Amino acid sequence: YAIDLLRGLLGKTPMFGICLGHQLLGLALGASSYKLKFGHRGANQPVLNKGTGRVEITSQNHGFAVDSASVESKGATVTHVNLNDQTLEGFVHQDRCLLAVQYHPEASPGPHDATYLFDCFARMMDTRRAPTTEDMAAAQAALQRRR
């Protein structure tokens, strides 16, 4: 029922999926998921932000992944990749105004590596468009200046 609900909301309201929300949004778009052999567990999972080239230290606890090729075939752009196994860790969809990450930015294992995503979501609510690479880089830079 959650996937159907999200499918009905796609494009109507900005959405930010975290962990299970990432997987549900991928499935709502029509992408596929698969079971990981070992899963991602713990507070030291390295994730590459493909747009900025920065590595974020993340906290994760999941056993499934959204397939990168299938989410891209639905118009999404891959933004984050797990450096241990190259699995999908984040995506945006400009037409559907959504942002999703597989990890927990609120857990702060980095400790502030991924908190810029909340700034991106706040801006997404104002602009009604998903963050671009430039938006993410600007949010990361602003976070650095605030520290």
Side-chain angles (χ1 to χ4, degrees), residues 19-36 62-72 76 78 86-91 100 102:
C19 196
L20 180 59
H22 169 268
Q23 292 181 22
L24 292 173
L25 285 172
L27 294 171
L29 284 171
S32 60
S33 67
Y34 59 96
K35 185 168 178 41
L36 295 167
H62 60 272
F64 288 81
V66 176
D67 180 72
S68 295
S70 71
V71 80
E72 287 179 315
V78 172
Q86 303 303 305
T87 55
L88 176 66
E89 291 287 349
F91 65 90
Q102 181 63 74

Side-chain angles (χ1 to χ4, degrees), residues 15 24 42 50 53 56 60 62 67 71-72 74 81 83 92 104 111 113 117 123 127 140 143 146:
M15 289 189 273
L24 292 173
K50 290 179 63 171
E56 301 165 17
Q60 301 190 19
H62 60 272
D67 180 72
V71 80
E72 287 179 315
K74 302 303 179 185
V81 176
L83 290 176
V92 296
H104 290 274
D113 291 7
L117 292 166
R123 182 168 179 176
T127 64
Q140 282 180 327
L143 178 65
R146 288 194 304 256

Side-chain angles (χ1 to χ4, degrees), residues 71-143:
V71 80
E72 287 179 315
S73 75
K74 302 303 179 185
T77 302
V78 172
T79 57
H80 296 80
V81 176
N82 187 294
L83 290 176
N84 289 328
D85 61 8
Q86 303 303 305
T87 55
L88 176 66
E89 291 287 349
F91 65 90
V92 296
H93 196 293
Q94 293 298 330
D95 298 337
R96 303 295 186 142
C97 194
L98 68 88
L99 164 65
V101 292
Q102 181 63 74
Y103 52 93
H104 290 274
E106 77 284 3
S108 303
H112 305 289
D113 291 7
T115 57
Y116 72 94
L117 292 166
F118 295 105
D119 295 331
C120 289
F121 180 55
R123 182 168 179 176
M124 186 170 73
M125 288 189 294
D126 287 339
T127 64
R128 310 292 283 180
R129 68 170 182 76
T132 63
T133 299
E134 293 78 19
D135 294 333
M136 287 187 192
Q140 282 180 327
L143 178 65

